[in-house]
């Protein structure tokens, strides 16, 4: 009976769902592994046939070129600054907006939520031209605010949805006690809601940071000066007219991925909790 029970437990542990998850994980990890391995290959091995799974003579030359010849450190600093300020702005506005939609009595909640959902899936390319004309008129081209403000506008609806659904799970009793003590909505949000909204804030923050950090089209259109370029644009413009430094591009891509990987690994539990919270709420 013990052997049969152990065999049955092993069969339950490895189901077709688990097998599918393993296959998806491998398919996802394979391009990342190939990118990392290629970033250490000498130029002579990048186009070798058959391709080598790992470089026979690993080198850091591509990383030196990325941070030296192409000033990758500046692009990385620009991306981190823009993504961080965008995330802070989205979380600050999203927390109060989500609280208003989740708690406060107001008319037109459903149309507002529908409008937010429509904005969150709106294609960026359709508004690039009018945004460019507006930013040229007010002098925001080749600046940080020229990216931060549009990023906040585009990523705020998703954050409001996430935070609103999460705040619906927080009990009313603590807010009622604060109201009895004379606390207004702002004080209630900062002292009662904020300490309990961690998972929702982490989820919104990670998704917002990642989206702003990796955005390409606006960054390419609005900032043409090298001093304000972000990582996606900087890596895309590596090389010269008749040269494509694939190894340096691979090295820059790996270096650009590290902040995202660290962020997700640190906050992965909070992200999963925030995504699943309020999943059955309206």
């Amino acid at each position: 009976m013990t052997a049969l029970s152990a065999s049955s437990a092993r069969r339950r542990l490895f189901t077709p769902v688990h097998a599918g998850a393993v296959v998806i994980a491998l398919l996802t990890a394979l391009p990342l592994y190939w990118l990392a391995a290629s970033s250490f290959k000498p130029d002579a091995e990048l186009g070798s046939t058959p391709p080598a799974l790992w470089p026979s003579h690993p080198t850091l030359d591509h990383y030196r070129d990325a941070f030296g010849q192409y000033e990758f450190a500046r692009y990385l600093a620009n991306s981190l600054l823009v993504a961080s300020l965008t995330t802070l702005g989205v979380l600050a506005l999203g927390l109060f907006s989500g609280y208003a939609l989740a708690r406060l009595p107001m008319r037109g909640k459903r149309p507002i939520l529908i409008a937010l959902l429509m904005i969150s899936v709106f294609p960026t390319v359709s508004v690039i031209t009018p945004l460019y004309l507006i930013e040229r008129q007010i002098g925001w081209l080749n600046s940080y605010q020229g990216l931060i403000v549009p990023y906040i506008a585009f990523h705020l609806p998703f954050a409001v949805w996430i935070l609103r659904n999460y705040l619906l799970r927080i009990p009313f009793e603590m807010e009622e006690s604060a109201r009895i003590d004379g606390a207004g909505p702002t004080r209630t949000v900062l002292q009662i809601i904020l300490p309990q909204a961690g998972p929702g804030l982490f989820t919104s923050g990670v998704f917002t940071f990642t989206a702003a950090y990796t955005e390409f089209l606006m960054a390419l259109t609005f900032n043409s000066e090298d001093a304000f370029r972000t990582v996606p644009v900087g890596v895309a413009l590596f090389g010269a007219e008749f040269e494509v430094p694939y190894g340096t591009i691979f090295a820059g891509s790996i270096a650009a991925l590290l902040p995202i990987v660290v962020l997700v690994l640190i906050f992965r539990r909070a992200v999963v909790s925030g995504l699943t919270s309020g999943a059955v709420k309206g």
Side-chain angles (χ1 to χ4, degrees), residues 52 86 164 225 265:
T86 298
R164 180 249 180 191
E225 292 183 4
L265 289 178

Side-chain angles (χ1 to χ4, degrees), residues 4-203:
L4 290 176
S5 300
S7 177
S8 300
R10 284 195 295 269
R11 284 198 297 269
R12 287 195 300 269
L13 286 175
F14 195 76
T15 64
V17 174
H18 296 113
V22 170
V23 171
I24 293 174
L26 291 176
L27 292 176
T28 304
L30 181 60
L32 296 177
Y33 168 79
W34 194 256
L35 183 68
S38 299
S39 69
F40 294 103
K41 291 181 181 179
D43 290 333
E45 293 186 22
L46 288 174
S48 61
T49 304
L53 294 178
W54 186 255
S56 57
H57 299 89
T59 178
L60 295 175
D61 290 343
H62 301 311
Y63 289 90
R64 296 190 187 98
D65 291 341
F67 284 91
Q69 181 179 354
Y70 295 103
E71 299 184 4
F72 181 79
R74 175 185 294 178
Y75 305 149
L76 186 61
N78 289 340
S79 288
L80 291 174
L81 176 63
V82 170
S84 299
L85 293 179
T86 298
T87 303
L88 290 176
V90 166
L91 293 183
L93 295 173
L95 179 61
F96 283 95
S97 302
Y99 176 78
L101 290 171
R103 297 298 210 214
L104 301 183
M106 56 186 299
R107 295 182 178 179
K109 282 189 178 183
R110 185 172 295 275
I112 292 174
L113 291 172
I114 294 174
L116 290 174
L117 184 61
M118 293 175 62
I119 294 173
S120 65
V121 298
F122 204 74
T124 305
V125 67
S126 61
V127 296
I128 284 293
T129 300
L131 280 178
Y132 177 86
L133 295 176
I134 293 173
E135 295 207 357
R136 186 179 65 177
Q137 185 69 25
I138 63 179
W140 278 12
L141 295 179
N142 295 307
S143 66
Y144 293 121
Q145 67 268 23
L147 291 180
I148 294 171
V149 173
Y151 286 173
I152 291 176
F154 271 89
H155 302 314
L156 183 59
F158 177 78
V160 172
W161 263 93
I162 292 291
L163 290 169
R164 180 249 180 191
N165 288 341
Y166 184 81
L167 295 179
L168 287 173
R169 296 181 66 249
I170 298 178
F172 281 96
E173 286 75 11
M174 297 183 68
E175 295 176 59
E176 292 176 352
S177 300
R179 291 195 186 98
I180 293 174
D181 293 337
T186 302
R187 182 181 172 187
T188 301
V189 171
L190 295 178
Q191 295 186 357
I192 305 300
I193 299 299
L194 181 59
Q196 303 181 67
L201 289 172
F202 283 130
T203 302

Side-chain angles (χ1 to χ4, degrees), residues 230-255:
T230 55
V231 165
V233 178
V235 172
L237 297 179
F238 278 179
E241 184 177 0
F242 301 105
E243 177 190 8
V244 181
Y246 291 106
T248 308
I249 293 174
F250 296 152
S253 300
I254 287 296

